[in-house]
Structure formats: C-alpha cells, structure tokens
C-alpha cells in the first residue's frame, strides 16, 4: 500500500448547522468541526510531505468549483484545494467554516466535486484516497444518480467515511424518536449509498470516543540489513549452511519532537503578509527569525597566550594516555578498522534459562528469510529446532564490511504460523556493571517472617492486574500503554498553535491511564501494607530540598545583588590565605598528597613524593602513619590506572625491609599483608569503587 495519502473533507455549512439540539451547548457545526480539528491536528503534527488534504463545503452562499456551470453544483465551494496541510492557510480557511444563510446545495453533488478534485490531483498514481463527509443530513438530497457515483468511487478506490450529526446508532441503542421525517429518510438513503461505496458510517457519538486519541506515526518497514546467516565455517561449503536473510527493526525508542531556536523578539508577519509572501506549497513564517549555529575552532598559543582560529580540516583526533594526549590521524584510524565481512555467523547454542533477563533489554530486530523455497525451509527448520529444544542461538553480527562485530542472541519467534528470529544485542564484559550492594535485612523471628510472607502474598494477589476486579479498560498490556512525554508534548504543541493564550488542558486519558494503581485495589491492600511497615519498621526518607542543581537554580525565589556577590566571592579570602601545596609533607602526608592530586598535572609528582615519604616513615619507624600513607597511595594508584607502578613499588619495598635495606621489621611486612596493601590484583581493577568521602 502506498504511503501517499489524499484526504478531502466535505463539510455541511447549511443554516441548520448553526442550531443546538438535544441540550448541547455546541452548535451542530461546532460539534462536527471538533472531529475535523482533531484530524487536521494529527496531520500537522505528523508533518508528512506525502500527506495532502482538501476542504469542500456545501450549502454555501457562494459557489466556487470547476463544475459550477451546471446548476446542480451551485452553492458548493472548494475552500482549500488539495495540497499539503499548511497551518497559516488552514487557520484562514477555518475562519470561513461558519453556518451560511442558505439551505441550497446538494450533498451528493458536493461528493462529486470532491471526487473530481481527487481524480485530477492523484491521476493514475498510487494514493490512499479518503473522503470524509461531515453533515447533519437535513434539507433536500438528490439520490437520483447515486448508484453510478458509488460505482466510480469503488472503481477508483476512494474510501468514503460519513459522520452524521444525531444519526441513529443501533450499536449504542441511541435513537431520536421525534426525528424529522425528511432527515430520517436522508439518513437511510445515505447509509445505503455509503454501503454501495464500501465506505463507513459513523455517528458523532462514536467519533467522540476517538477524539483526542493517541497520534501514532506509521513507520514504513525498511530493511536495515540484507545478507547471509551462516551456520558453520563460512569458507567450508561442505560443512556449513548459509541462508539469505533480511533484518527489520522490531522495537525502537520513540523520542519526543525536537524544538528549533528562533528569535522571539521579532514579530511574526501578519496573516495577509504570509499569504502574499509564501506560495501554496511552502510555509516558513519564522524562517527569517531562525537562529543559525556557527562553530569555530580556536587554539591558544602557549607562548604568547594569543588565540587564533583554525580550520576544521586541520584538526586531528587525540586520545588520553594517562595525562598525555596521543594524536591519531584519520589515515591511521582507517588502518585500525577490522577486516570483517558483513553477515550473521552463528557461534553456538545456549539454553534459554542460561541467559540473564537483563541482558536482553535493548532494541530488538526481526530476521526474515528471503530467496527461494529451499532457503525459507532451511530457515524455518532452524527456528522450529530452537523452539523445540528451548534454546537460543549466539551469533556474531557485522552490519557492513570492516564494521565492528557485535554479539547477538537469536530467539525463535512464531507469529501467524510464520517463523522468524528476533535478535537482541548482548553486552560485552566492558558493558556490564557488576555493582556490589549490601544484603537486605532479614527477619529472624519465625512468626514475624510468616506474617510478612502472608501479607506480601495477599498484596500480590490483590494487585493482580489480570483479575476481573481490575478497573483498567483496556487491560494493562504494552500495546495499550503510551509514552507520556512525547504525547504530552504533542498535545501542548497542538494546543498552543490553536490557542496560545489559553491554559494547557490536563493530559489525555490514554496517557495517564496506567500512571497510578487502581484505588479500589489499593484499598484492599491497606492492612497488608500496614503489617509490612510495622514489622520492618519502615522509615520514610526525607525528601531533598532540591532534586538537582538545576531545580535548585530554578526554584523561582529571587536573588538579591548582595546574595549574588556573596556567592561569587565565597571562599576567595580562604583561598588567598591558603598556602599552595607543592610537596607531600611527612607530618600530614595523606592530606598534602590529595592536595597535589587536585592539580591535573600533579599526578607524577604526587606519586613519586608519596613513595619517598613512605620509605622515610618506615625508616623512622613511624609505622602507623606509613601504613596510612601507603593505603592512600594504593587507592589512588587504582583510580589513576597506575597499578603496575604500585605493584613494582610495593614488591621492592617488601624486599628492602626483609633484606635490611630499610630497618628490618617483621611487623611491617605482616601488617602490609593483613591491611590489604600488597600488590593490586586484576579483579580490583574491574570492581566498582567509590572515591573516599572527605570528612
């Protein structure tokens, strides 16, 4: 099916549409336009270049269409010729969507005019053609040639949707008993006509249920990889099996719309100026106010301290090697590329239970077979074998020639009797964060433990979202949940575009539907939660004054000039009185060692001087202070990737003490080992460490 879509709205502007019926505060036209506005907002938010719309009105005081030479097509106005949805032009058109003084104008003729402009625009190209009629179905409607028109609609694949104001709704058993006979007859004839067109008839009661629903962007399936999936050695044709496959995205994170910077101090051009300045296919009222980003690269001369600008092509990449920058040119980076070939290569198979569940939390892709029937049969056999044996396949994947290899897990997936593989990237050793957390407190009293277990079991049972008592409609499932941030932002964009001076309404119901547990289910769990709180002595943590530095700065409280001066000048006097630390002191080696490390170029000096201080303290037999200094030296050697240097130093230190180069003291050697100050092991380098908090 084509991605190009053409939609024409046919709107009834008769005098009768200005009346209110059945106790509504809105007129019939305002009620009908609520659906029209919802559909237009969706198209503007999606902003698809291949999505065009048109607006045709009938029962108008004026006539403007290409078939107006015939009297049957009078009082019909092509208000918005088919084109891309442009906000400023639509705003101008919507101001003309008001009830007119006449009741002249035929609905079937308006449908013919709409069909004519669709045929002229789409021609024989592949388009999804839609016609949406909003009408009250009052007045005279000529159905004399409706059957021939219906045949043309079906032949040209134009889908007709008719939304009728106060139409009878058998689905909800809504009927108007005192309905005008003419309107009742028109409803019956229109439903028969729409059925002949293979279209859809909706009442506005039904349409109201979908108003304000989620705005979903349909993504066209595009293969992100086409290549081979190999089992066995790729070069050995006799002992390997290769299949041609394609890879498509299955899950991807949808991000909120991004904003553009513009100069808001400049006034937006008036509506009339916009229409004169921009053509019907363009809409750029803020283009002159757009902010351009220009990036420049500046280098400061170390001798003259003068700054001068350099060209981007003269820059090279540099990487940190300790405290030194190692430059690597672009040509060298190309040489570093691995000699890899694109494709999947299955390494082996693992039981499903052996894969930790948190390894698979990433974007997923679906793999489908391509080629002849033999290729598809081999692929289907692989999927069925994995499913039957409850196993996953581990595969090495390279997306392009000389690309970086990644490790994937291939999971069997069967949908509608079709066999697929779903791949999820697995982490490498460097990607895993094996943090160590303290053990949870256990309840020693058996009676209390039994009460806690029983309370938690009751809580889980009462909060079962699949139970009949759960009020969620529809049921809680991933396909019924929507990301709050993108949809709330889309709502705000649409609202402020239409009503910039009005307050933003509350979030849509579909966004907040699952943001809090059901109250009636929580009420049943109150006793269980009280038991848990009582037995475990749960203390509610105090909320921080500010959640972050940003919220602290954005607290809204004004800051006086005196407070600003105090913040800017805070600590200046202390810094002036504070002596600059250049050497590690034997009196306070740990503190002076840390002060030198604050200098980004002081690592080498700090380590060398600390090593000498430790040796002198041992020589003076100040063992406690020597071990404290050695502990600080060992910790920062780990943090600064200087483990090899420390290991050489501590080995030489132990040798000097045992051989008498330093005062021989068996207590020193034993305390170095018992205090964990011996050589740094490899496991300590991969274990997460947290810097010491300063008292």
């Amino acid at each position: 099916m084509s991605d190009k879509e053409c939609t024409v709205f046919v709107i009834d502007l008769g005098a009768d549409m200005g009346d209110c019926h059945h106790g509504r505060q809105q007129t019939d036209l305002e009620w009908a336009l609520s659906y029209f506005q919802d559909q237009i907002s969706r198209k503007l938010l999606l902003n698809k270049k291949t999505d065009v719309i048109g607006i045709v009105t009938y029962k108008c005081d004026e006539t403007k269409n290409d078939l107006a030479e015939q009297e049957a097509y009078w009082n019909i106005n092509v208000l918005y010729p088919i084109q891309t949805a442009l906000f400023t032009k639509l705003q101008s058109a919507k101001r003309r969507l008001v009830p007119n003084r006449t009741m002249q104008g035929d609905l079937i003729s308006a449908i013919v005019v709409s069909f004519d402009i669709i045929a002229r625009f789409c021609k024989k190209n592949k388009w999804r053609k839609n016609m949406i009629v909003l009408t009250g179905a009052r007045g005279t409607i000529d159905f004399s040639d409706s059957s021939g028109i219906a045949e043309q609609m079906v032949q040209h694949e134009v889908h007709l949707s008719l939304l009728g104001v106060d139409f009878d709704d058998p689905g909800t058993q809504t009927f108007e008993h005192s309905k005008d006979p003419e309107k009742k007859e028109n409803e019956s004839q229109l439903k028969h006509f729409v059925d002949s067109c293979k279209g859809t008839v909706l009442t506005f009661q039904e349409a109201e249920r979908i108003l304000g629903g989620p705005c979903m962007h349909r993504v066209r399936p595009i293969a992100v990889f086409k290549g081979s999936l190999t089992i066995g050695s790729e070069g050995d044709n006799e002992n390997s099996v290769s299949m041609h496959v394609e890879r498509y995205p299955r899950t991807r994170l949808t991000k909120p719309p991004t904003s553009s910077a513009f100069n808001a101090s400049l006034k937006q051009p008036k509506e009339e100026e916009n229409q004169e300045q921009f053509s019907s296919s363009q809409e750029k009222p803020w283009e002159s106010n757009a902010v351009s980003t220009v990036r420049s690269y500046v280098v400061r001369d170390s001798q003259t301290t003068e700054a001068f600008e350099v060209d981007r092509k003269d820059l090279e990449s540099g990487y940190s090697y300790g405290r030194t920058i190692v430059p690597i040119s672009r040509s060298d980076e190309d040489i570093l590329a691995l000699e890899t070939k694109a494709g999947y290569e299955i390494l082996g198979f693992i039981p499903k239970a052996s894969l930790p569940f948190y390894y698979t939390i990433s974007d997923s892709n679906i793999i489908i077979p391509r080629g002849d029937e033999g290729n598809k049969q081999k692929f289907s056999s692989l999927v069925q074998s994995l499913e039957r044996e409850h196993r996953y396949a581990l595969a090495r994947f390279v997306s392009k020639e000389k690309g970086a290899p990644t490790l994937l897990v291939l999971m069997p997936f069967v949908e509608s009797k079709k066999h697929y593989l779903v791949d999820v990237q697995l982490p490498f050793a460097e990607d895993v964060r094996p943090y160590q957390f303290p053990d949870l407190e256990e309840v020693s009293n058996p009676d209390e433990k039994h009460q806690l277990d029983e309370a938690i079991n009751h809580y889980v049972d009462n909060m079962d979202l699949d139970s009949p008592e759960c009020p969620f409609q529809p049921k809680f499932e991933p396909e019924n949940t929507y990301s709050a941030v993108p949809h709330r932002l889309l709502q705000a964009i649409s609202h402020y575009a239409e009503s910039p001076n009005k307050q933003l309404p509350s979030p849509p119901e579909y966004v907040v539907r699952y943001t809090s547990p059901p109250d009636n289910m929580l009420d049943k769990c109150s006793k269980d939660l009280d038991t848990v709180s009582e037995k475990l002595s749960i203390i509610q943590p105090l909320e921080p004054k500010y959640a972050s530095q940003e919220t602290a700065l954005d607290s809204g409280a004004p800051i006086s000039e005196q407070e600003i001066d105090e913040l800017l000048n805070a600590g200046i006097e202390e810094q002036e009185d504070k002596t600059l630390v250049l050497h590690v002191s034997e009196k306070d080696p740990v503190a002076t060692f840390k002060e030198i490390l604050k200098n980004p170029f002081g690592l080498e000096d700090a380590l060398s001087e600390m090593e000498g201080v430790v040796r002198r303290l041992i020589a003076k037999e100040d063992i406690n202070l020597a071990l404290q200094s050695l502990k600080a030296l060992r910790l920062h050697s780990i943090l600064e990737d200087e483990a090899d240097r420390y290991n050489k130093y501590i080995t030489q230190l132990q040798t000097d003490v045992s051989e008498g180069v330093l005062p021989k003291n068996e207590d020193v050697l034993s305390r170095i080992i018992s205090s964990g100050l011996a050589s740094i092991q490899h496991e300590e380098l991969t274990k997460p460490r947290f810097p010491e908090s300063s008292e």
Side-chain angles (χ1 to χ4, degrees):
M1 182 177 289
S2 174
D3 286 338
K4 298 187 291 185
E5 184 173 8
C6 176
T7 304
V8 174
F9 294 89
V10 183
I11 304 176
D12 184 353
L13 297 184
D16 59 304
M17 294 293 284
D19 299 332
C20 300
H21 295 90
H22 305 289
R24 292 192 297 266
Q25 299 297 321
Q26 292 177 303
T27 65
D28 290 352
L29 182 59
E30 291 172 343
W31 198 23
L33 290 180
S34 62
Y35 179 84
F36 168 77
Q37 178 59 46
D38 181 77
Q39 296 299 307
I40 292 296
S41 294
R42 293 169 185 267
K43 295 183 181 296
L44 288 169
L45 288 172
L46 294 176
N47 194 24
K48 294 176 61 177
K49 294 181 180 179
T50 57
D51 200 350
V52 295
I53 66 167
I55 303 175
V56 175
T57 58
Y58 74 101
K59 292 185 184 177
C60 304
D61 296 332
E62 63 175 332
T63 300
K64 185 180 178 182
N65 65 79
D66 292 339
L67 306 179
E69 295 179 358
Q70 303 179 44
E71 184 178 354
Y73 301 102
W74 290 359
N75 303 103
I76 298 173
N77 182 17
V78 180
L79 185 62
Y80 190 88
I82 296 177
Q83 58 184 292
T84 305
L86 305 176
F87 177 67
T88 52
K89 289 185 175 293
L90 283 170
Q91 289 294 90
S92 177
K94 282 190 287 188
R95 284 194 284 270
R96 300 170 62 185
L97 295 178
V98 294
N100 285 221
R101 296 186 299 271
T102 183
M103 286 292 291
Q104 300 298 318
D106 181 53
L107 172 56
I108 301 298
S109 298
I111 291 176
V112 172
V113 170
S114 302
F115 176 82
D116 178 66
I117 65 174
I118 290 175
R120 290 170 182 265
F121 184 86
C122 299
K123 299 179 181 178
K124 294 184 179 181
N125 299 323
K126 292 183 178 181
W127 286 79
R128 283 187 287 130
K129 293 164 275 193
N130 302 311
M131 189 184 301
I132 301 176
V133 178
L134 311 177
T135 181
R138 297 183 181 88
T140 303
I141 302 178
D142 184 7
F143 292 98
S144 58
D145 195 24
S146 60
S147 59
I149 297 170
E151 290 178 4
Q152 290 292 318
M153 297 277 284
V154 173
Q155 181 180 349
H156 288 80
E157 298 180 342
V158 179
H159 183 267
L160 177 63
S161 299
L162 189 144
L163 284 83
V165 177
D166 294 329
F167 274 33
D168 292 340
D169 185 7
T172 59
Q173 297 297 311
T174 303
F175 299 96
E176 186 181 358
H177 300 289
S178 58
K179 183 173 294 186
D180 180 67
E182 184 181 45
K183 175 176 171 59
K184 188 173 184 178
E185 177 62 22
N186 286 340
E187 284 187 25
S188 175
Q189 293 279 4
L190 282 173
K191 290 179 180 178
H192 176 73
F193 171 72
V194 174
D195 289 341
S196 301
C197 296
K198 298 182 180 180
T200 306
V201 177
L202 288 176
T203 66
F204 270 93
Q205 289 84 352
E206 293 175 309
E208 272 190 320
R209 301 190 193 107
I210 62 176
L211 291 181
C215 182
M216 302 291 290
H217 177 63
R218 292 191 299 269
V219 181
R220 181 182 179 183
I222 298 177
V224 294
F225 172 79
K226 295 180 180 181
S228 62
L229 186 152
T230 305
I231 304 176
S233 178
E234 185 177 358
D236 188 356
N237 295 330
E238 296 182 357
N239 298 319
S240 65
V241 177
S242 182
M243 294 164 274
H244 183 68
V245 296
E246 292 183 0
R247 186 192 202 201
Y248 291 86
R250 188 66 174 185
T251 58
R252 289 291 188 273
L253 177 65
T254 298
K255 298 180 180 179
T258 57
S259 60
S260 301
F262 65 91
N263 186 0
S265 63
L266 299 178
K267 293 184 178 180
Q268 184 178 4
K270 294 182 180 180
E271 183 76 29
E272 295 78 7
E273 297 177 1
N274 282 337
Q275 294 181 0
E276 294 176 1
Q277 185 175 358
F278 303 107
S279 66
S280 60
S281 62
Q282 293 180 331
E283 182 183 39
K284 303 178 181 179
W286 291 104
E287 185 175 294
S288 59
N289 301 354
V291 177
S292 300
T293 302
V294 179
R295 178 175 295 180
S296 61
Y297 299 87
V298 178
V299 176
R300 189 175 299 277
D301 192 332
S302 58
Q303 297 180 354
T304 63
T305 68
E306 293 182 358
F308 57 93
E309 187 174 341
V310 296
D311 195 277
R312 173 70 180 86
K313 63 182 180 181
D314 296 331
L315 301 180
E316 294 289 354
S317 300
Y319 299 88
S320 297
Y321 186 68
R323 297 302 176 97
T324 305
I325 300 299
V326 178
I328 298 181
S329 64
R330 293 187 181 90
S331 58
D332 292 336
E333 287 184 337
D334 294 338
I335 296 174
L336 295 176
L338 300 174
E339 294 294 333
T340 55
K341 294 183 179 180
Y344 288 91
E345 184 178 352
I346 292 182
L347 306 177
F349 305 94
I350 60 172
K352 289 183 178 181
S354 66
L355 183 69
F357 69 91
Y358 52 83
Y359 277 10
T360 60
I361 303 176
S362 69
D363 292 340
S364 61
N365 303 277
I366 193 164
I367 305 172
I368 63 174
R370 283 290 185 247
D372 55 19
E373 287 300 322
N375 188 76
K376 295 179 181 179
Q377 288 179 3
K378 289 187 290 186
F379 185 88
S380 178
S381 299
L382 173 62
V383 175
Q384 293 182 63
S385 299
L386 292 174
E387 185 71 22
R388 184 171 56 252
E389 299 295 330
H390 303 285
R391 288 180 174 271
Y392 295 147
L394 290 183
R396 178 178 181 266
F397 174 67
V398 179
S399 60
K400 59 182 180 180
E401 297 293 328
K402 295 186 178 182
T406 57
L407 186 63
L408 305 179
V409 58
L410 307 184
M411 305 177 180
F413 176 62
V414 180
E415 185 179 52
S416 302
K417 296 183 179 180
K418 296 181 179 179
H419 298 93
Y420 309 100
L421 287 173
V422 173
D423 76 53
V424 180
Q425 184 174 344
L426 294 178
F428 291 111
E430 300 86 354
D431 305 325
V432 180
R433 301 291 185 265
Y435 295 136
Q436 302 292 329
F437 297 101
D439 295 334
L440 297 176
E441 182 181 355
E442 295 186 359
V443 179
S444 57
N445 190 321
D447 294 335
E448 291 185 353
K449 188 176 186 334
H450 176 73
Q451 293 178 8
L452 278 173
D453 292 342
E454 192 175 31
I456 292 297
N457 289 335
H458 288 167
Y459 174 75
V460 172
D461 292 339
N462 290 329
M463 292 300 295
D464 184 6
L465 297 180
D466 286 332
S467 66
E469 299 179 0
C470 179
F472 284 153
Q473 292 296 333
K475 293 295 184 182
F476 182 78
E477 294 177 353
E479 55 266 28
N480 297 327
T481 60
Y482 300 92
S483 179
V485 174
H487 287 278
R488 180 61 166 166
L489 183 54
L490 291 174
Q491 181 197 24
I493 294 171
S494 177
H495 171 79
Y496 287 125
E498 301 291 339
S499 309
N501 299 321
K502 292 185 179 180
Q503 186 177 2
L504 182 66
S506 56
E509 190 273 336
Y510 69 87
V511 170
V512 300
R513 183 184 296 143
Y514 304 116
T515 54
S516 58
D519 293 334
N520 63 329
M521 301 180 76
L522 277 178
D523 292 340
K524 296 181 179 180
C525 306
S526 58
K527 293 183 179 179
D528 300 324
L529 294 176
D530 291 340
T531 301
V532 174
S533 301
E534 178 184 351
K535 300 300 180 184
L536 295 181
S537 301
I538 296 177
I539 301 175
Q540 294 293 336
L542 296 176
E543 294 185 3
K545 186 176 182 181
Y546 298 113
S548 65
Q549 183 178 358
E550 292 181 2
T551 54
L553 295 174
D554 194 25
S555 59
I559 302 178
S560 65
E561 293 185 5
Q562 181 180 358
E563 291 174 321
I564 293 175
D565 292 337
E566 291 177 357
L567 288 172
L568 294 175
N569 298 324
I572 291 180
E573 295 180 359
E574 292 81 352
Q575 293 177 12
E576 292 176 350
D577 296 338
K578 190 173 182 179
T579 305
L580 183 63
V581 178
L582 300 176
H583 302 285
V584 178
S585 168
E586 293 185 16
K587 294 182 179 180
D588 191 4
V590 176
T592 52
F593 174 66
K594 291 181 179 180
E595 283 295 324
I596 298 176
L597 286 175
K598 292 180 181 179
N599 184 347
F601 302 101
L603 176 63
E604 177 65 29
D605 294 339
L607 294 177
S608 298
E609 294 201 12
M610 194 57 151
E611 291 169 355
V613 167
V614 171
R615 295 178 67 89
R616 290 195 294 272
L617 290 174
I618 293 176
K620 294 179 181 179
E621 297 187 354
D622 192 349
I623 307 303
N624 291 331
L625 189 56
L627 292 177
Q628 293 177 15
S629 304
L630 193 59
K631 180 180 179 182
L633 177 63
R634 189 178 192 275
L635 172 63
H636 287 279
S637 295
I638 295 174
L639 297 177
E640 300 292 346
D641 294 331
E642 296 287 349
D644 292 340
R645 173 174 178 157
Y646 178 84
N647 290 343
K648 293 179 181 178
Y649 170 75
I650 195 65
T651 302
Q652 185 62 44
L653 182 67
Q654 291 172 312
T655 301
D656 291 345
V657 172
S658 61
E659 294 180 354
V661 177
L662 291 173
K664 190 170 184 179
N665 191 332
E666 295 297 333
D667 183 49
V668 174
L669 298 176
S670 61
R671 289 182 65 179
I672 287 176
I673 297 173
S674 62
S675 301
L677 301 177
S679 298
I680 300 170
Q681 303 300 316
H682 176 72
E683 292 77 9
E684 296 180 81
L685 299 177
T686 59
K687 185 184 298 183
R689 287 183 171 271
F690 302 95
E692 293 179 328
S693 58
S694 56
E695 298 294 338

